[in-house]
Amino acid sequence: MTDPKSIFAINTYSYTLDYSAAETIRHLGGQGYPGFELMMYTGHFWPGEVDEAAKRDIRSAVSSTGTRLVSFNMPNIDLNIAGASPEVRAYSLGLLSNFIRLAGELEVPAIVIGPGKANPLFSPGHALLLGHFHKALDTLAPIAKQAGVRLLVENMPFAFLPDADALMKALDDYGNPDVGIIYDVANGHFIGEDPCEGLRKVSKRLGLVHFSDTGRKVYRHDTIGLGDVPFAAFPPVLKEIGYAELPVLEVISRNADADTLDSATRLAAVGYGRA
């Protein structure tokens, strides 16, 4: 029987307050998880705090555990590349540019970005937001290409492009095939989208998939089983569309070790990791 831990990469959000990135890799790698999506978070892994010694420590942690880094991510509430003010957009792009360059230095193949957020009470027009997003890609895509890092735009309920159709149209209109998508099944489920159809719609740009649980009334990234995301439906779809990368568990919990293992075990029982 396949060890459930061997099936998934782990997003490190739950460890940002207590562990550095290198400590998290050693901690979870020692438990048998094969890959990681590192959160860009101050005190955990933040460009302004990562000197050459810290980079060496991360490389050493990856090497000693026999693991790999699949992507970088960041709490996108803090950033907004489609913000109303040029200062916020410039600040967000400056941080993201540093994130991307750091990913290239550490040979991380992908970085997750959000398309940007609008004021929910009085939103600017869609065309203006889309223009900000495309202009941001004009800045970020060349940096990513030079660094050897793929940009993966995420479907986010609080973003101005929350669903698969809107995200695909925005990227197809932009036209750069190098820009991919990370599809979060909990995010899709929360907004009422069928995540199976969402995965199919984004398949030509799909780089990674996030897994966690939620209901449709309160937005969560919970342990598998605490919400009502239909996880058993996804393995056949992932096989159908040819998804070959590690699925990423993005369970956010104060009891992360136990809840991550429980989530991996529950998903393995409904078909994840089977050939």
Side-chain angles (χ1 to χ4, degrees):
M1 178 179 177
T2 302
D3 182 352
K5 295 190 294 295
S6 71
I7 300 168
F8 301 96
I10 305 301
N11 172 285
T12 65
Y13 210 146
S14 293
Y15 298 88
T16 53
L17 301 181
D18 299 311
Y19 292 86
S20 71
E23 289 169 343
T24 304
I25 293 166
R26 291 188 177 98
H27 176 71
L28 292 173
Q31 296 176 35
Y33 296 103
F36 303 99
E37 178 176 272
L38 294 186
M39 293 300 293
M40 312 295 282
Y41 198 92
T42 183
H44 178 71
F45 187 57
W46 192 249
E49 302 167 355
V50 177
D51 57 14
E52 289 304 319
K55 293 173 194 174
R56 287 195 299 271
D57 196 25
I58 289 170
R59 292 188 184 102
S60 174
V62 169
S63 176
S64 65
T65 55
T67 59
R68 62 189 176 95
L69 302 180
V70 300
S71 53
F72 283 175
N73 199 345
M74 72 288 304
N76 275 282
I77 292 296
D78 293 346
L79 304 177
N80 192 2
I81 61 176
S85 69
E87 291 87 353
V88 166
R89 296 196 302 274
Y91 180 73
S92 297
L93 287 171
L95 284 175
L96 284 168
S97 298
N98 288 335
F99 295 164
I100 293 166
R101 294 186 184 102
L102 183 55
E105 289 181 44
L106 292 174
E107 299 182 332
V108 178
I111 187 166
V112 179
I113 67 171
K117 304 175 286 291
N119 186 319
L121 296 178
F122 196 55
S123 174
H126 181 82
L128 179 62
L129 294 166
L130 187 63
H132 290 330
F133 175 51
H134 285 171
K135 189 173 181 180
L137 292 179
D138 286 344
T139 297
L140 298 176
I143 296 171
K145 188 175 183 65
Q146 184 176 23
V149 176
R150 190 181 188 196
L151 299 177
L152 297 179
V153 188
E154 185 172 357
N155 60 312
M156 298 173 172
F158 47 82
F160 84 98
L161 300 171
D163 59 273
D165 282 328
L167 203 50
M168 282 297 291
K169 185 177 189 313
L171 291 177
D172 286 346
D173 287 349
Y174 185 68
N176 185 339
D178 293 337
V179 181
I181 287 174
I182 178 165
Y183 188 83
D184 187 302
V185 300
N187 290 353
H189 178 75
F190 175 73
I191 65 170
E193 181 169 78
D194 176 357
C196 290
E197 289 308 304
L199 286 164
R200 291 186 177 103
K201 288 174 180 177
V202 305
S203 61
K204 74 176 183 179
R205 290 186 182 268
L206 186 65
L208 287 172
V209 184
H210 275 165
F211 292 93
S212 62
D213 212 347
T214 189
R216 284 179 165 165
K217 291 184 178 179
V218 179
Y219 178 47
R220 302 287 296 171
H221 271 30
D222 273 336
T223 307
I224 307 306
L226 294 184
D228 50 23
V229 176
F231 291 103
F234 304 142
V237 177
L238 295 175
K239 183 176 181 179
E240 170 194 325
I241 64 178
Y243 181 77
E245 183 52 277
L246 290 169
V248 179
L249 271 179
E250 195 185 19
V251 171
I252 300 174
S253 167
R254 298 287 182 177
N255 190 26
D257 279 8
D259 288 344
T260 298
L261 177 57
D262 184 51
S263 294
T265 301
R266 287 173 179 266
L267 291 178
V270 296
Y272 292 76
R274 295 176 191 169

